[in-house]
Each structure stands twice: as structure tokens, then as C-alpha cells.
């Protein structure tokens, strides 16, 4: 892998992935809705930051052209950017539902296809890792559209893997569980508000579902992503690896 594009690179898992891939020698394009955060992470990673909204699929061609001009052709893509809204099912609006799928599913699909098609066109190989979630496999109370969108990510990953397997582009997904990120903290606050408890009580309840008894770190996920992008996983495609401390064993 020479050039890696990481969406949602401004914080949390995306930032950890960008720094990990940089440490392994890749040139990293850090993409985030918050351009300042993308630039800050890129500075630490020795890469370049780009402000982009992944729900705007019409802008992908220009984005990839700019990255290719700055760093070279993208041969590794990590789709981390995501939206997770926490509220009771009765409060979900059509616009919120559409936004969740526009970012978590539609943007991921069209960016993945764009990168893969460019690789095939140039006779190159590469790999894509999509960020799913254990929520893809668990029922949700206040994040029903998020869970559904992550289930779609698992399905899309398998389908894309099948389409591009013989063309030299691998697709895999990672399904994190309880990871210490700003999103996890924000979700705990919103869930506590919806349930009339405290954020810490919600985090404690979540931790009880983790057999390993600890909260995961963004680097736990980043290491798995790095493996799936590397030649060490050259015979793996269409898979979803759970990084959840054993949560899905229950």
C-alpha cells in the first residue's frame, strides 16, 4: 500500500487508522467533514488533509483527482466516516434516517466503487476496509437507523468483494464494539438523556456486555485495519472481523 485514503480521519478511530498507516510507511490522505481536524491529523501523519462531505458523492471524482495529484493513486481506502444519532424510535424523522444512510452507506459505496474502478482501470491492485459495527448484529433501542446502516455495510462489503475479487481489489469490514471515542461518549450522553440516567451508568451497562472486561481503544481497531490492508491478509476478502472484546460471543 502506497497511498491510503481515510474518511472520518479527524478524530477517534479514523485518526488512529491514519496514524497507524502512516507509521507503516503509507502516504495518508486524511478526509473529514471538519477540514481543520483533517489538517491537524494529516500534520501528525505526515500526509495531507482534505475537507469533504462523504454524503456528496458528486464530489468524489474531484477529491480523488486532487489526492492523486498531491500524493499519488489511492490503493488503500478506509471508510470510517459515520453518523450515529441517538433518540427513541418514535422520534426518528425521515430526514435523519436519510442522512444516516447517505453517510454510512451511500457515501461508503460510491467512494469504494470509485477507488476500485480506478485501480482496475490502471491494472493495479488494492484493498478497502469498511467500518461496520457490532450494532449490525444487535437490536437497537435508540439507534435503529444506525444499526440498520451498519448491517448494510456488512452486506455491501461482501457484494463488493465478490464483484472485485478477480480484479485484484479486496474488500473487508471491521465491526468495533465498545471503543473509547468521542462518538461513544456522545452516545452515552444522549442515551442517558433518553433513559433518564447518567452517561457513566450507560457506559457501565455497556461494559458489562464485554467479556474481556475493558473498553477497546481506537488503536485496537487501527491494528486490525492495517492487517486487512496489508499483504499479510492477501487471501482474505468479503469478511467482517469483530473487534469487540468478545461481545458477540454472547
Amino acid at each position: 500500500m502506497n497511498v491510503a485514503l481515510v474518511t472520518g480521519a479527524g478524530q477517534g478511530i479514523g485518526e488512529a487508522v491514519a496514524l497507524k498507516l502512516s507509521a507503516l510507511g503509507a502516504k495518508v490522505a486524511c478526509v473529514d467533514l471538519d477540514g481543520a481536524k483533517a489538517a491537524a491529523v494529516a500534520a501528525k501523519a505526515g500526509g495531507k488533509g482534505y475537507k469533504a462531505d462523504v454524503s456528496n458523492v458528486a464530489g468524489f471524482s474531484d477529491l480523488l483527482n486532487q489526492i492523486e495529484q498531491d500524493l499519488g493513486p489511492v490503493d488503500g481506502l478506509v471508510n470510517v466516516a459515520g453518523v450515529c444519532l441517538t433518540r427513541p424510535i418514535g422520534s426518528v424523522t425521515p430526514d435523519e434516517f436519510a442522512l444516516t444512510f447517505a453517510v454510512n452507506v451511500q457515501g461508503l459505496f460510491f467512494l469504494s466503487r470509485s477507488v476500485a474502478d480506478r485501480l482496475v482501470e490502471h491494472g493495479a491492485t488494492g484493498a478497502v476496509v469498511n467500518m461496520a459495527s457490532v450494532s449490525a448484529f444487535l437490536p437497537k433501542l435508540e439507534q435503529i437507523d444506525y444499526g440498520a446502516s451498519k448491517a448494510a455495510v456488512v452486506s455491501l462489503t461482501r457484494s463488493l468483494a465478490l464483484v472485485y475479487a478477480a480484479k485484484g481489489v479486496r474488500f473487508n469490514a471491521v465491526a468495533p464494539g465498545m471503543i473509547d471515542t468521542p462518538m461513544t461518549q456522545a452516545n452515552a450522553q444522549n442515551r442517558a438523556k433518553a433513559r433518564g440516567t447518567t452517561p457513566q451508568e450507560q457506559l457501565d451497562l455497556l461494559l458489562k456486555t464485554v467479556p474481556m472486561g475493558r473498553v477497546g481503544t481506537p488503536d485496537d481497531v487501527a491494528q486490525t485495519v492495517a492487517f486487512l490492508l496489508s499483504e499479510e491478509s492477501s487471501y482474505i476478502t468479503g469478511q467482517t472481523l469483530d473487534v469487540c472484546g468478545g461481545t458477540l460471543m454472547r
Side-chain angles (χ1 to χ4, degrees):
M1 177 182 52
N2 297 310
V3 178
L5 191 172
V6 182
T7 69
Q11 63 181 16
I13 290 173
E15 178 179 6
V17 169
L19 296 176
K20 174 65 67 175
L21 298 182
S22 173
L24 294 174
K27 298 176 183 177
V28 183
C30 299
V31 174
D32 200 277
L33 183 61
D34 187 322
K37 287 185 176 181
V41 173
K44 291 190 286 185
K48 194 166 180 63
Y50 302 86
K51 174 181 172 59
D53 180 352
V54 298
S55 68
N56 177 25
V57 299
F60 289 160
S61 180
D62 288 342
L63 174 64
L64 291 174
N65 286 340
Q66 187 61 58
I67 293 173
E68 186 166 340
Q69 179 179 320
D70 295 337
L71 303 175
V74 173
D75 57 352
L77 169 63
V78 188
N79 287 298
V80 182
V83 172
C84 182
L85 304 176
T86 303
R87 66 279 194 237
I89 185 172
S91 300
V92 178
T93 68
D95 285 346
E96 289 174 343
F97 199 95
L99 173 64
T100 298
F101 272 77
V103 175
N104 297 2
V105 182
Q106 179 176 278
L108 176 149
F109 170 72
F110 284 103
L111 184 56
S112 295
R113 191 182 69 179
S114 295
V115 169
D117 284 346
R118 286 184 177 224
L119 285 167
V120 173
E121 181 181 349
H122 292 97
T125 60
V128 177
V129 177
N130 295 323
M131 203 55 56
S133 168
V134 294
S135 295
F137 310 103
L138 300 171
K140 308 297 293 181
L141 291 176
E142 295 97 3
Q143 300 163 346
I144 188 168
D145 48 340
Y146 177 76
S149 73
K150 292 304 182 178
V153 169
V154 172
S155 178
L156 280 175
T157 299
R158 290 171 62 85
S159 296
L160 287 165
L162 180 60
V163 170
Y164 288 96
K167 301 176 182 179
V169 185
R170 296 184 299 109
F171 283 83
N172 290 290
V174 174
M178 186 181 187
I179 307 295
D180 186 12
T181 66
M183 178 181 283
T184 295
Q185 296 297 329
N187 287 343
Q189 292 177 2
N190 292 329
R191 193 178 292 115
K193 183 178 179 181
R195 298 181 183 182
T197 62
T198 68
Q200 190 56 52
E201 286 176 315
Q202 292 306 310
L203 291 171
D204 290 343
L205 283 173
L206 190 58
L207 186 57
K208 289 180 180 179
T209 69
V210 183
M212 289 184 69
R214 73 168 177 88
V215 179
T217 69
D219 198 54
D220 288 326
V221 182
Q223 292 184 65
T224 305
V225 170
F227 166 69
L228 290 173
L229 288 177
S230 75
E231 285 302 307
E232 294 179 346
S233 63
S234 62
Y235 202 50
I236 299 175
T237 196
Q239 305 304 305
T240 297
L241 295 187
D242 305 322
V243 184
C244 61
T247 296
L248 291 182
M249 291 193 299
R250 294 180 179 274

